[in-house]
Amino acid sequence: MGSVSDYDVMSGAEQVLSDFGVEFEKRVISAHRTPDLMYEYTKGAKDRGVGVIIAGAGGAAHLAGVAAGLTTLPVIAVPMQTKALGGLDSLLSMVQMPTGIPVATVAIGGAKNAALLAVEILALSDPGLSEKLDKYRQEQAEKVLNSKI
Ligand code: RP5
């Protein structure tokens, strides 16, 4: 994430990944304030065994786009809600990537879905994780089917 101030939202991703038993790195790295670290961290990600990068940032939210330019790992962007523009600034900064450097952008504040998408990507080569996803979907459906009003 681009700042500690993003953690309230990004902790949702942490929670989902923990629930699925997926190992993760949790870092504050800013594309603007710490560009050298941004380069070093992202360039080394694949060799460290990282499978997917989830990047949460707000405002002029270049974190995900810069990461995507530095690696061929899938990058998922989480736009943060902002005071000035409600998060539309973050969303548009993240979603309009140039052809050739894709970023998968979730909803404003959608950290949990970002984590679920990451789990789905990792599950392509992990049958155990795939089973957990099926179970999760089943439980979700049951909650709706059993809901009373
Ligand atoms: C972005 O600027 C961060 O991702 C954060 O959402 C926003 C504000 O950062 P702080 O000023 O709170 O550190 O880079």
mmCIF file of all heavy atoms in Angstrom, residues 1-3 27-39 57 62-63 66:
data_model
loop_
_atom_site.group_PDB
_atom_site.id
_atom_site.type_symbol
_atom_site.label_atom_id
_atom_site.label_comp_id
_atom_site.label_asym_id
_atom_site.label_seq_id
_atom_site.Cartn_x
_atom_site.Cartn_y
_atom_site.Cartn_z
ATOM 1 N N MET A 1 0.845 -1.193 0.000
ATOM 2 C CA MET A 1 0.000 0.000 0.000
ATOM 3 C C MET A 1 0.878 1.239 0.000
ATOM 4 O O MET A 1 2.022 1.202 0.462
ATOM 5 C CB MET A 1 -0.940 -0.030 1.203
ATOM 6 C CG MET A 1 -0.260 0.004 2.552
ATOM 7 S SD MET A 1 -1.275 -0.696 3.879
ATOM 8 C CE MET A 1 -0.812 -2.444 3.728
ATOM 9 N N GLY A 2 0.285 2.344 -0.498
ATOM 10 C CA GLY A 2 1.082 3.544 -0.666
ATOM 11 C C GLY A 2 1.352 4.295 0.612
ATOM 12 O O GLY A 2 2.288 5.098 0.684
ATOM 13 N N SER A 3 0.531 4.067 1.641
ATOM 14 C CA SER A 3 0.686 4.788 2.908
ATOM 15 C C SER A 3 0.072 3.963 4.040
ATOM 16 O O SER A 3 -0.845 3.155 3.793
ATOM 17 C CB SER A 3 -0.039 6.133 2.805
ATOM 18 O OG SER A 3 -0.133 6.754 4.070
ATOM 19 N N ARG A 27 3.532 -4.482 2.898
ATOM 20 C CA ARG A 27 4.515 -3.400 2.891
ATOM 21 C C ARG A 27 3.874 -2.048 2.573
ATOM 22 O O ARG A 27 2.891 -1.986 1.848
ATOM 23 C CB ARG A 27 5.572 -3.673 1.795
ATOM 24 C CG ARG A 27 6.393 -4.922 2.001
ATOM 25 C CD ARG A 27 7.356 -4.796 3.155
ATOM 26 N NE ARG A 27 8.277 -3.694 3.005
ATOM 27 C CZ ARG A 27 9.474 -3.785 2.425
ATOM 28 N NH1 ARG A 27 9.892 -4.949 1.972
ATOM 29 N NH2 ARG A 27 10.250 -2.722 2.320
ATOM 30 N N VAL A 28 4.438 -1.007 3.134
ATOM 31 C CA VAL A 28 4.094 0.353 2.716
ATOM 32 C C VAL A 28 5.228 0.825 1.812
ATOM 33 O O VAL A 28 6.379 0.917 2.233
ATOM 34 C CB VAL A 28 3.950 1.302 3.929
ATOM 35 C CG1 VAL A 28 3.756 2.741 3.443
ATOM 36 C CG2 VAL A 28 2.785 0.879 4.806
ATOM 37 N N ILE A 29 4.880 1.060 0.556
ATOM 38 C CA ILE A 29 5.859 1.524 -0.439
ATOM 39 C C ILE A 29 5.146 2.551 -1.313
ATOM 40 O O ILE A 29 4.039 2.300 -1.785
ATOM 41 C CB ILE A 29 6.362 0.345 -1.321
ATOM 42 C CG1 ILE A 29 7.086 -0.690 -0.457
ATOM 43 C CG2 ILE A 29 7.268 0.867 -2.437
ATOM 44 C CD1 ILE A 29 7.515 -1.948 -1.200
ATOM 45 N N SER A 30 5.769 3.699 -1.488
ATOM 46 C CA SER A 30 5.132 4.745 -2.279
ATOM 47 C C SER A 30 5.858 4.922 -3.609
ATOM 48 O O SER A 30 7.083 5.086 -3.641
ATOM 49 C CB SER A 30 5.153 6.061 -1.489
ATOM 50 O OG SER A 30 4.816 7.135 -2.338
ATOM 51 N N ALA A 31 5.068 4.906 -4.688
ATOM 52 C CA ALA A 31 5.654 5.120 -6.022
ATOM 53 C C ALA A 31 6.275 6.507 -6.128
ATOM 54 O O ALA A 31 7.234 6.705 -6.869
ATOM 55 C CB ALA A 31 4.586 4.945 -7.093
ATOM 56 N N HIS A 32 5.731 7.454 -5.347
ATOM 57 C CA HIS A 32 6.218 8.839 -5.427
ATOM 58 C C HIS A 32 7.258 9.157 -4.364
ATOM 59 O O HIS A 32 8.255 9.813 -4.639
ATOM 60 C CB HIS A 32 5.032 9.810 -5.258
ATOM 61 C CG HIS A 32 3.913 9.546 -6.216
ATOM 62 N ND1 HIS A 32 2.633 9.248 -5.808
ATOM 63 C CD2 HIS A 32 3.884 9.491 -7.570
ATOM 64 C CE1 HIS A 32 1.870 9.047 -6.871
ATOM 65 N NE2 HIS A 32 2.596 9.183 -7.954
ATOM 66 N N ARG A 33 6.988 8.696 -3.125
ATOM 67 C CA ARG A 33 7.868 9.084 -2.017
ATOM 68 C C ARG A 33 9.081 8.166 -1.876
ATOM 69 O O ARG A 33 10.103 8.572 -1.320
ATOM 70 C CB ARG A 33 7.073 9.069 -0.697
ATOM 71 C CG ARG A 33 6.007 10.156 -0.633
ATOM 72 C CD ARG A 33 5.039 9.908 0.511
ATOM 73 N NE ARG A 33 4.089 10.998 0.687
ATOM 74 C CZ ARG A 33 2.905 10.863 1.267
ATOM 75 N NH1 ARG A 33 2.513 9.687 1.745
ATOM 76 N NH2 ARG A 33 2.100 11.894 1.376
ATOM 77 N N THR A 34 8.944 6.929 -2.342
ATOM 78 C CA THR A 34 10.074 5.980 -2.241
ATOM 79 C C THR A 34 10.244 5.227 -3.572
ATOM 80 O O THR A 34 10.116 3.994 -3.621
ATOM 81 C CB THR A 34 9.853 4.959 -1.096
ATOM 82 O OG1 THR A 34 8.654 4.204 -1.365
ATOM 83 C CG2 THR A 34 9.720 5.621 0.262
ATOM 84 N N PRO A 35 10.533 5.958 -4.630
ATOM 85 C CA PRO A 35 10.608 5.301 -5.948
ATOM 86 C C PRO A 35 11.707 4.240 -6.035
ATOM 87 O O PRO A 35 11.533 3.218 -6.725
ATOM 88 C CB PRO A 35 10.853 6.458 -6.927
ATOM 89 C CG PRO A 35 11.352 7.586 -6.091
ATOM 90 C CD PRO A 35 10.763 7.408 -4.728
ATOM 91 N N ASP A 36 12.817 4.454 -5.346
ATOM 92 C CA ASP A 36 13.902 3.468 -5.425
ATOM 93 C C ASP A 36 13.478 2.148 -4.775
ATOM 94 O O ASP A 36 13.731 1.066 -5.311
ATOM 95 C CB ASP A 36 15.173 3.993 -4.723
ATOM 96 C CG ASP A 36 15.770 5.180 -5.464
ATOM 97 O OD1 ASP A 36 15.438 5.356 -6.655
ATOM 98 O OD2 ASP A 36 16.547 5.939 -4.847
ATOM 99 N N LEU A 37 12.794 2.271 -3.632
ATOM 100 C CA LEU A 37 12.309 1.064 -2.952
ATOM 101 C C LEU A 37 11.246 0.369 -3.804
ATOM 102 O O LEU A 37 11.180 -0.859 -3.879
ATOM 103 C CB LEU A 37 11.734 1.442 -1.581
ATOM 104 C CG LEU A 37 11.092 0.311 -0.788
ATOM 105 C CD1 LEU A 37 12.098 -0.801 -0.504
ATOM 106 C CD2 LEU A 37 10.502 0.837 0.523
ATOM 107 N N MET A 38 10.426 1.169 -4.433
ATOM 108 C CA MET A 38 9.380 0.640 -5.333
ATOM 109 C C MET A 38 10.014 -0.247 -6.401
ATOM 110 O O MET A 38 9.555 -1.368 -6.661
ATOM 111 C CB MET A 38 8.689 1.844 -5.994
ATOM 112 C CG MET A 38 7.709 1.516 -7.090
ATOM 113 S SD MET A 38 6.075 1.389 -6.419
ATOM 114 C CE MET A 38 5.493 -0.071 -7.237
ATOM 115 N N TYR A 39 11.082 0.247 -6.996
ATOM 116 C CA TYR A 39 11.792 -0.489 -8.049
ATOM 117 C C TYR A 39 12.399 -1.783 -7.485
ATOM 118 O O TYR A 39 12.175 -2.869 -8.014
ATOM 119 C CB TYR A 39 12.888 0.404 -8.641
ATOM 120 C CG TYR A 39 13.643 -0.241 -9.772
ATOM 121 C CD1 TYR A 39 13.212 -0.111 -11.089
ATOM 122 C CD2 TYR A 39 14.786 -0.997 -9.520
ATOM 123 C CE1 TYR A 39 13.900 -0.720 -12.133
ATOM 124 C CE2 TYR A 39 15.481 -1.605 -10.550
ATOM 125 C CZ TYR A 39 15.043 -1.458 -11.855
ATOM 126 O OH TYR A 39 15.722 -2.081 -12.880
ATOM 127 N N ALA A 57 -3.793 2.209 -3.207
ATOM 128 C CA ALA A 57 -3.300 3.586 -3.110
ATOM 129 C C ALA A 57 -4.425 4.561 -3.429
ATOM 130 O O ALA A 57 -5.456 4.177 -3.978
ATOM 131 C CB ALA A 57 -2.120 3.803 -4.062
ATOM 132 N N HIS A 62 -0.485 5.892 -8.468
ATOM 133 C CA HIS A 62 0.346 5.275 -9.500
ATOM 134 C C HIS A 62 0.995 3.973 -9.063
ATOM 135 O O HIS A 62 1.713 3.342 -9.841
ATOM 136 C CB HIS A 62 1.425 6.274 -9.956
ATOM 137 C CG HIS A 62 0.837 7.516 -10.549
ATOM 138 N ND1 HIS A 62 1.222 8.791 -10.199
ATOM 139 C CD2 HIS A 62 -0.171 7.668 -11.444
ATOM 140 C CE1 HIS A 62 0.506 9.681 -10.871
ATOM 141 N NE2 HIS A 62 -0.348 9.026 -11.616
ATOM 142 N N LEU A 63 0.750 3.588 -7.821
ATOM 143 C CA LEU A 63 1.448 2.415 -7.260
ATOM 144 C C LEU A 63 1.269 1.166 -8.117
ATOM 145 O O LEU A 63 2.240 0.505 -8.490
ATOM 146 C CB LEU A 63 0.922 2.149 -5.840
ATOM 147 C CG LEU A 63 1.666 1.099 -5.036
ATOM 148 C CD1 LEU A 63 3.052 1.585 -4.634
ATOM 149 C CD2 LEU A 63 0.882 0.729 -3.773
ATOM 150 N N VAL A 66 2.815 1.507 -11.761
ATOM 151 C CA VAL A 66 4.279 1.447 -11.773
ATOM 152 C C VAL A 66 4.729 0.009 -11.498
ATOM 153 O O VAL A 66 5.617 -0.515 -12.168
ATOM 154 C CB VAL A 66 4.887 2.434 -10.752
ATOM 155 C CG1 VAL A 66 6.389 2.225 -10.623
ATOM 156 C CG2 VAL A 66 4.599 3.865 -11.162
#
